[in-house]
Amino acid sequence: MSDLFSLQKPFQPHCRQTTAAAGPMFWFILQKGTLYLEGNSQGSVVPFAQEPPVDAEQIKYSRCIGVYDGVPCMVIELDPSAVVSLPLNGVTMRAAHGHIGSDHWTIAGRASQVLRWRRDHRFCGRCGSEMVEDKHDLLCRCPGCGYFNYPRLSPAVIMSVVRGDEILLGRSPHFPNGMYSVLAGYVEPGETLEEAVKREVYEETRIEVTDIRYINSQSWPFPHSLMVGFSARYASGELQPDGDELEDAAWFTPDNLPQLPSRISISRHLIELFLQSLAK
């Protein structure tokens, strides 16, 4: 097992202490899916300062989302009409990984998920009253009926399926041209993770699998998934892509691999583990 996708420094996911006089903080500034970073001589970094590096009138929402290595982390949602100027520069969440590294990218993902949760759950799903956000914990309470909710988290399985020196890769209609990846899917109510692996592989390809083994997991903020990675071995069946989730699927050997997912993803990690196992 690997802790490849875990934070390398301590992170406390709550801010119970006041941050008013806490010294410099990390500012995760988002606007419509764009993350704003600060440029310096060594590249782009998450802004680190006592005060937010944007004007107060541009801020639609702000709160502390945790403490990273002793430093408070603040999320800021900018007003959609706000115009941001240098030294801040905007990048997509996916592109940000190449600028700020894994730890800050993971926290930026947390920030993105918190903002989505606030947008999607403004009103109580039980009685329709406007929800009230807790000042200390990430939860919203309904003042009408007492119902409360936490940020949504959607568990999904993702798995490498191996047959000898071949790996099963599929192509979603939403992928960039030429790209293939391992299979994945969301866990259904009442289902174990292992059952989800078997079901998803069979539904998408008509392949039966065995020897399902947990590898590791990754928080994936697109939009709020927890990817739980497994390996599995081919057991039986003729490959038949479903034509819906997958427009194509095939068995690939190391010497004829297609375009693969980014190295920031657990999908690529599972493929790399397959390649390493053959190299041994």
Side-chain angles (χ1 to χ4, degrees), residues 49-68:
Q50 176 81 46
E51 301 293 335
V54 291
D55 295 334
E57 60 268 21
Q58 295 180 310
I59 298 175
K60 182 178 179 181
Y61 170 80
S62 162
R63 76 166 288 162
C64 183
I65 56 169
V67 179
Y68 172 70

Side-chain angles (χ1 to χ4, degrees), residues 30 32-34 61 65 75-77 93 108-123 133 138 140 149-154 186 220-225:
L30 289 138
K32 295 182 178 180
T34 296
Y61 170 80
I65 56 169
V75 60
I76 285 178
E77 181 178 23
M93 276 294 300
R110 176 179 175 83
S112 173
Q113 291 177 75
V114 168
L115 295 184
R116 177 176 287 273
W117 163 63
R118 288 192 69 257
R119 289 194 299 269
D120 292 350
H121 298 279
R122 286 183 55 202
F123 300 96
E133 188 175 348
L138 281 178
C140 283
N149 65 46
Y150 296 92
R152 179 178 176 181
L153 190 64
S154 303
Y186 288 106
W220 192 244
F222 304 107
H224 36 60
S225 297

Side-chain angles (χ1 to χ4, degrees), residues 11-17 19 63-68 71-73 110 134-139 150-151:
F11 183 80
Q12 168 60 43
H14 301 289
C15 293
R16 297 187 180 276
Q17 76 278 22
T19 59
R63 76 166 288 162
C64 183
I65 56 169
V67 179
Y68 172 70
V71 179
C73 298
R110 176 179 175 83
D134 190 275
K135 293 182 179 179
H136 301 293
D137 294 321
L138 281 178
L139 67 91
Y150 296 92

Side-chain angles (χ1 to χ4, degrees), residues 151-211:
R152 179 178 176 181
L153 190 64
S154 303
V157 291
I158 184 166
M159 44 278 175
S160 59
V161 179
V162 175
R163 184 180 67 178
D165 64 350
E166 299 175 308
I167 186 170
L168 177 61
L169 300 178
R171 174 171 169 73
S172 164
H174 309 293
F175 284 177
N177 289 338
M179 194 183 90
Y180 284 68
S181 182
V182 293
L183 308 187
Y186 288 106
V187 181
E188 297 283 351
E191 191 175 49
T192 68
L193 296 172
E194 292 79 5
E195 288 170 338
V197 169
K198 290 183 179 181
R199 175 185 55 77
E200 284 289 342
V201 174
Y202 185 77
E203 285 180 354
E204 294 184 1
T205 66
R206 289 297 183 262
I207 294 296
E208 300 275 4
V209 297
T210 188
D211 194 22

Side-chain angles (χ1 to χ4, degrees), residues 31-54:
Q31 182 189 49
K32 295 182 178 180
T34 296
L35 177 69
Y36 284 94
L37 305 176
E38 193 169 65
N40 61 27
S41 60
Q42 297 178 338
S44 296
V45 297
V46 174
F48 179 66
Q50 176 81 46
E51 301 293 335
V54 291

